[in-house]
Amino acid sequence: MVFQRRKLTVACMSLLASLPYAQPSLAQTTATPTKEATTGLDSVTIIGSRRVNASATDTPVPIDFIPLSKSSEQGGQFDLAQTLQYISPSFNSTRQTGADGADLIDSASLRGLGSDQTLVLVNGKRRHTTALVNLFGARNRGNTGTDLNAIPVLAIDNVQVLRDGAAAQYGSDAIAGVMNISLKKSKGCEAILGYSQYSVGDGKNVLPSAYCGFGIGENGVLGITAEYSDRGRSNRAEPDNPRIIGDTQSKNSTLYLNGELPTTSTGKLYFTVGAQNRDASSAAFARGGVGSDDIPTRNSAAMYPGGFVPFINADISDRYAIVGHRWQVGDWTTDLSQTYGSNEMRYRISNTINASIANQDLINGGAGRSASLFQAGGFSFSQATTNLDFSKFFDGFFQGANVAFGAEFRRENYQIFAGEAGSYIDADGVGFGGNAGSQGFPGFQPNDATNRNRDSTAIYADVETDLTQQLKLQTAVRAENYSDFGSTTTGKLAASFKASEQLLFRGSASTGFRAPSLQQVYFSSTFTDFISGQPQDVVLAPNGGTIANAAGIPKLKEENSRNYTLGFTLTPSKTLSMTADLYQIEITDRIGLSGRFDANNFPSLGATLAALGVGQAQFFVNSIDTKTKGLDLTVSNKTDLGGGSKLSTFFAVNLSQTEVVNVHAPASLKGYESVLLSERERLFIEQGGPRTKATLGFDYSQGQWETNLKIIHFGSQTLGTFSGTENGVPNAFYEPKTSADLAFTYSFDKNTKITFGGNNIFNVKPTKQDPNETDNGFIYDSVQFGLNGASYFAKFYKRF
């Protein structure tokens, strides 16, 4: 058993009550649950606490409680990831371009850490991650993550963000924090129709969405959300640049059901079913035409004499289901549930060519053609989780204590599917002119295909004690065993002290872990590249496989973390609130994707690889220790200006700094740490997100009109270049940038309103860079600030 100790700063709850569109707010304080209070059916779940009918203000850990009604009704962002991106400064999501499959799914994270270091729950139950592991050009390279955009914003009642390590409570992945997405189950119907586009006329986005809640049985309810979104492609490439740089094209069809049905006087059956099908398309790098070096290596004069841009298309299916029963056993609240989630991506590469097939056709006397569309294979990930939880509030222990314990069993499966032969074969033979595989994205080969499972079993105990009327203490411990790497134990200690009715101090310390994902362990990809003028296989080798073992790469193990947090909340009046929290997160044995090893940068390993027929190889390795420290600060105020007019003001800022403090190579790679983690890759870890992010929001209402102004500041970023500073090329520096969103809402009545406005209304763009040195070959890397410029939108909302 590995016992980790992690201290965690209890951050404050962001009193987001006045932020435009989202209008986040704190949950209302509820009374301490009693035996009578916990026997009813209408329990409230607050993330970070297992106390039935607890509230966000009762927990000794920092929670942002963000209602999303205004975002769905009036917001200028149409998907969940971008909505939260412009609400919460500690939340990060980068819309990618030029990063292969990562262009098709917006991964999200907290506090600048990896996307797989944030745990996402739906209705308090673990949600699955995507099958995709972010690789080439992606900010979260080497990470998996959760696809938040698979859930319609209109289906969501609120999002709770626990800015605190919580592995001892919820298990793997909860290093940076936990997000709980609470779905609607209210009666009544509502619908929105949204439209947006960029100021230059592209990127058209159409969003019809509807929700209806119905009564079922006696005191039951079923909420149904149906949504279709159609986002068009945008392109910011220069007039003489054949590239397509901007938003991917995406068409999503989504259906979510969420409800509950009483079974006994103290029992309730609850359920959630969700499904989304996504047809998405991103543009790869352009290939040259006649007169370029791309003929015959990557192109054919007979097919694309003027050059071409391949499209990486994917059919993405996402499924999610929860069924559970909550009831009373004596004085204990008992909850038995089963959760299932799956994510699958199947690649279709269009407007492309297998140059080796075309060249072979030319050699055989043909025109020099291949197919222009290939099924390139793909991957899937599924997760089934069984939970049994018990909770009881004891009145007679100090001022009251809530005791909870339970068990979890989880089974995961990861598969890679090979593509059709034409998507990967080298038809004219190695070194005979045409590159193998479909241009833009070579298909997965039969040797890459895999089908792997693993199980994990966990038990936990969680006690929240009111030691006095002013002092609360929370303790938690969790033991977890994985079938593939062993066991780990984590613990947590948190406390809050109410110094006065206006001032509350909070702090926490905890240990945490993140199990290596099956995607990181078993992902395999093989393609042919020219190394020193010679065509050779380049392999991203799976952990535990022949190539990784020959290179001395050890078996992947869990990442360990220690968290420290200390903060306070101050409410000097009913209209003014302030929170401030310092935090520090230390992660050891963090999993990273290595650089490419070959005969040039590691001669002895290069010889081993050559004997296996491999020119270059990359691996996932537990090789990095990082330290993240920062500050969360929020201030909110509501003012009644008289005459029926009101003004709400909100300010929030996150200051965060991540540093790689140690790179420890496996014994076989000692002395080659610079290949294991280059300066460029280190900067992606340290500054993949801006170190400063702030939001200042104003919401002014007068009569039937409401005006929302939101100012968002993104701090500077320094990213690496392909050539690197060792070759005299300075790193890419992105200056701080500030954008502004403005919207006007007119309410015809309490059930009907129309909103129109703009995002980034001053059309601010990132700092220009040398396109030869960026990840995507454009004058801007994919940064959180975005590269598309100003956009305009309108939304019509109707409640029935």
Side-chain angles (χ1 to χ4, degrees):
M1 305 286 280
V2 178
F3 183 73
Q4 315 162 19
R5 266 191 216 202
R6 208 212 265 188
K7 277 192 195 170
L8 227 184
T9 318
V10 159
C12 44
M13 292 186 217
S14 295
L15 300 179
L16 299 169
S18 55
L19 186 58
Y21 311 142
Q23 278 200 326
S25 64
L26 287 175
Q28 297 299 312
T29 304
T30 60
T32 300
T34 63
K35 175 181 177 180
E36 292 73 23
T38 61
T39 58
L41 297 176
D42 298 323
S43 61
V44 177
T45 299
I46 295 295
I47 192 173
S49 173
R50 298 188 185 274
R51 179 181 293 192
V52 178
N53 285 330
S55 74
T57 53
D58 282 340
T59 63
V61 289
I63 302 167
D64 297 336
F65 190 92
I66 309 172
L68 287 188
S69 58
K70 267 205 170 181
S71 293
S72 59
E73 297 169 15
Q74 301 168 239
Q77 306 294 341
F78 289 5
D79 61 57
L80 181 56
Q82 290 298 297
T83 295
L84 294 175
Q85 162 85 337
Y86 293 97
I87 291 175
S88 173
S90 60
F91 179 89
N92 307 298
S93 180
T94 300
R95 183 170 286 176
Q96 298 282 162
T97 183
D100 292 349
D103 291 359
L104 310 177
I105 294 177
D106 297 343
S107 57
S109 62
L110 294 173
R111 290 177 164 173
L113 292 176
S115 55
D116 53 10
Q117 290 161 337
T118 296
L119 175 63
V120 177
L121 311 176
V122 173
N123 293 339
K125 307 299 180 181
R126 176 181 286 263
R127 184 172 172 85
H128 59 283
T129 60
T130 67
L132 174 76
V133 56
N134 296 310
L135 296 172
F136 310 109
R139 296 285 77 81
N140 279 303
R141 67 188 68 210
N143 290 185
T144 53
T146 303
D147 185 4
L148 298 182
N149 294 341
I151 306 174
V153 177
L154 191 61
I156 302 171
D157 180 70
N158 65 77
V159 175
Q160 302 163 31
V161 181
L162 171 61
R163 291 180 282 113
D164 187 15
Q169 296 168 290
Y170 298 105
S172 177
D173 306 345
I175 286 180
V178 183
M179 297 176 59
N180 182 41
I181 300 169
S182 183
L183 302 181
K184 290 178 183 175
K185 53 185 177 184
S186 56
K187 295 180 182 179
C189 295
E190 55 187 328
I192 59 171
L193 177 61
Y195 177 84
S196 71
Q197 70 175 53
Y198 292 110
S199 59
V200 298
D202 62 7
K204 295 179 176 62
N205 198 343
V206 180
L207 179 77
S209 186
Y211 167 85
C212 266
F214 308 93
I216 55 172
E218 185 176 349
N219 298 322
V221 65
L222 169 65
I224 303 175
T225 306
E227 179 177 282
Y228 176 77
S229 66
D230 186 345
R231 186 181 75 196
R233 204 185 305 276
S234 66
N235 187 13
R236 295 297 167 269
E238 308 93 321
D240 59 344
N241 189 337
R243 287 294 310 280
I244 297 176
I245 295 290
D247 288 351
T248 59
Q249 178 180 294
S250 181
K251 298 179 180 180
N252 303 346
S253 300
T254 314
L255 180 67
Y256 259 77
L257 283 67
N258 185 55
E260 61 186 31
L261 182 66
T263 54
T264 66
S265 60
T266 63
K268 175 174 61 179
L269 175 73
Y270 57 89
F271 54 89
T272 301
V273 178
Q276 182 185 83
N277 291 331
R278 180 180 306 170
D279 181 1
S281 174
S282 68
F285 278 74
R287 271 60 172 167
V290 174
S292 73
D293 293 337
D294 286 337
I295 295 179
T297 57
R298 303 197 302 173
N299 193 3
S300 161
M303 291 187 65
Y304 305 107
F308 68 102
V309 174
F311 291 107
I312 303 172
N313 313 296
D315 296 314
I316 305 171
S317 61
D318 194 276
R319 305 290 185 262
Y320 188 64
I322 306 168
V323 61
H325 190 248
R326 186 179 294 114
W327 74 104
Q328 294 296 127
V329 178
D331 292 337
W332 290 87
T333 298
T334 306
D335 188 346
L336 175 65
S337 65
Q338 178 65 50
T339 304
Y340 175 81
S342 68
N343 181 266
E344 180 177 294
M345 294 181 66
R346 297 271 186 170
Y347 287 105
R348 292 174 290 110
I349 315 305
S350 63
N351 198 49
T352 186
I353 181 178
N354 183 325
S356 72
I357 295 177
N359 192 50
Q360 183 64 39
D361 181 49
L362 189 65
I363 293 171
N364 293 338
R369 293 180 176 275
S370 82
S372 61
L373 174 68
F374 295 98
Q375 304 294 330
F379 29 68
S380 70
F381 176 75
S382 64
Q383 179 176 275
T385 308
T386 306
N387 291 96
L388 179 61
D389 304 293
F390 301 91
S391 178
K392 180 181 177 180
F393 188 83
F394 292 87
D395 287 308
F397 187 75
F398 289 92
Q399 298 297 310
N402 193 83
V403 176
F405 64 92
E408 176 180 287
F409 175 79
R410 188 165 72 251
R411 184 169 181 80
E412 298 173 338
N413 174 265
Y414 177 62
Q415 298 183 48
I416 296 178
F417 318 110
E420 63 176 290
S423 71
Y424 61 81
I425 63 170
D426 193 338
D428 62 354
V430 177
F432 282 91
N435 283 4
S438 46
Q439 287 296 304
F441 188 96
F444 289 100
Q445 301 184 17
N447 288 340
D448 297 323
T450 191
N451 186 347
R452 298 285 184 164
N453 298 294
R454 79 165 168 207
D455 301 330
S456 70
T457 305
I459 56 173
Y460 75 88
D462 187 321
V463 180
E464 297 180 46
T465 306
D466 299 331
L467 297 176
T468 68
Q469 292 293 334
Q470 292 79 34
L471 182 62
K472 295 178 183 292
L473 181 68
Q474 181 184 63
T475 57
V477 63
R478 185 184 186 97
E480 196 147 352
N481 178 267
Y482 282 78
S483 60
D484 54 349
F485 73 82
S487 302
T488 185
T489 301
T490 53
K492 181 171 183 176
L493 177 66
S496 66
F497 179 72
K498 194 171 185 179
S500 68
E501 288 299 317
Q502 294 78 33
L503 180 62
L504 176 76
F505 294 99
R506 298 190 292 189
S508 70
S510 66
T511 62
F513 79 102
R514 190 190 73 82
S517 68
L518 288 180
Q519 296 91 314
Q520 290 174 322
V521 177
Y522 295 111
F523 183 82
S524 175
S525 179
T526 307
F527 59 95
T528 301
D529 203 355
F530 284 80
I531 302 167
S532 300
Q534 298 298 317
Q536 295 181 358
D537 277 347
V538 176
V539 177
L540 201 164
N543 193 251
T546 301
I547 297 172
N549 289 340
I553 304 300
K555 188 176 181 180
L556 288 180
K557 59 183 179 179
E558 77 275 18
E559 301 174 346
N560 297 319
S561 65
R562 295 180 297 175
N563 289 46
Y564 309 86
T565 308
L566 184 65
F568 69 88
T569 68
L570 178 64
T571 311
S573 69
K574 293 182 178 180
T575 61
L576 178 64
S577 299
M578 175 182 177
T579 69
D581 301 274
L582 295 167
Y583 62 88
Q584 181 168 298
I585 306 169
E586 300 172 359
I587 306 175
T588 58
D589 297 322
R590 189 166 170 175
I591 299 171
L593 178 62
S594 75
R596 291 186 186 181
F597 287 92
D598 58 29
N600 293 324
N601 58 35
F602 197 167
S604 60
L605 177 58
T608 301
L609 295 175
L612 295 170
V614 176
Q616 291 184 330
Q618 291 178 274
F619 315 94
F620 284 102
V621 191
N622 292 95
S623 58
I624 308 165
D625 298 341
T626 63
K627 178 185 290 186
T628 300
K629 53 187 178 182
L631 168 70
D632 288 318
L633 174 68
T634 69
V635 181
S636 67
N637 184 63
K638 292 183 177 181
T639 304
D640 189 340
L641 301 177
S645 61
K646 297 179 180 179
L647 175 66
S648 295
T649 307
F650 172 77
F651 173 74
V653 61
N654 171 256
L655 307 175
S656 183
Q657 179 177 333
T658 295
E659 292 182 311
V660 175
V661 296
N662 188 26
V663 179
H664 38 88
S668 61
L669 304 181
K670 289 291 185 184
Y672 295 91
E673 285 79 3
S674 62
V675 182
L676 193 63
L677 183 71
S678 67
E679 180 185 31
R680 178 168 169 268
E681 296 300 322
R682 177 180 58 79
L683 286 170
F684 274 120
I685 294 172
E686 294 183 339
Q687 299 197 44
R691 291 184 167 183
T692 302
K693 186 179 171 187
T695 301
L696 176 62
F698 302 93
D699 188 320
Y700 175 76
S701 61
Q702 170 67 56
Q704 293 174 286
W705 284 95
E706 183 177 358
T707 303
N708 300 291
L709 173 64
K710 184 168 50 177
I711 300 169
I712 309 100
H713 176 78
F714 295 82
S716 63
Q717 289 177 256
T718 299
L719 298 178
T721 60
F722 274 111
S723 298
T725 54
E726 66 273 15
N727 293 314
V729 177
N731 289 321
F733 178 73
Y734 286 89
E735 298 173 354
K737 296 288 182 176
T738 303
S739 67
D741 300 345
L742 179 64
F744 303 93
T745 299
Y746 180 78
S747 299
F748 298 93
D749 54 48
K750 65 178 182 179
N751 295 322
T752 310
K753 65 184 69 172
I754 188 170
T755 302
F756 55 92
N759 299 321
N760 190 11
I761 57 177
F762 298 114
N763 199 35
V764 183
K765 303 284 185 65
T767 307
K768 290 185 179 180
Q769 308 293 335
D770 180 353
N772 295 313
E773 297 294 341
T774 61
D775 248 359
N776 54 25
F778 186 54
I779 56 174
Y780 317 125
D781 282 296
S782 295
V783 292
Q784 283 184 38
F785 183 77
L787 51 80
N788 284 290
S791 66
Y792 304 102
F793 76 95
K795 265 188 178 178
F796 178 75
Y797 172 81
K798 180 68 177 179
R799 180 183 291 113
F800 303 93

